[in-house]
Amino acid sequence: MDGDRVTVSVRHRDGEVAGDQAWLGTSAGLLASAAPWRTFRWYRGQKHYAGTYWAATTQDHLIYESRLELARLLFADFDPSVHGIVAQPFLLRRHLIW
């Protein structure tokens, strides 16, 4: 992927969106302070496994949409070298030039 044509949009916890920043110039601090980019609904009988997980690392609920995401959250939460976890912190876009 060509890094100069990839942008990232981040939603802050206050709802403000910082959009279309260059992916290569995005800091870890910006992503660490991000709220989930999108929310989702779950209902009885749905085909995928979504929910929330209380993480001791963040002292907050984190969302996940699959068993794979939940497994990765568990691994990260029990890893002593992990100091923060952010669920779905950005929207990544690649701009095609024809």
Side-chain angles (χ1 to χ4, degrees), residues 69-91:
E69 284 185 33
L70 176 59
R72 299 306 297 172
L73 282 172
L74 287 165
F75 281 131
D77 199 25
F78 282 88
D79 185 341
S81 68
V82 173
H83 300 288
I85 306 169
V86 183
Q88 301 186 9
F90 56 83
L91 173 67

Side-chain angles (χ1 to χ4, degrees), residues 39-57:
T39 59
F40 56 91
R41 297 180 187 98
W42 53 89
Y43 54 89
R44 175 178 241 134
Q46 70 185 19
K47 301 294 184 206
H48 61 282
Y49 188 81
T52 58
Y53 170 74
W54 175 262
T57 301

Side-chain angles (χ1 to χ4, degrees), residues 6-57:
V6 178
T7 60
V8 65
S9 297
V10 175
R11 178 173 291 115
H12 298 286
R13 297 202 186 279
D14 62 4
E16 184 180 330
V17 174
D20 292 334
Q21 299 181 16
W23 172 246
L24 294 178
T26 303
S27 70
L30 177 65
L31 298 179
S33 66
W37 177 255
R38 65 188 185 91
T39 59
F40 56 91
R41 297 180 187 98
W42 53 89
Y43 54 89
R44 175 178 241 134
Q46 70 185 19
K47 301 294 184 206
H48 61 282
Y49 188 81
T52 58
Y53 170 74
W54 175 262
T57 301

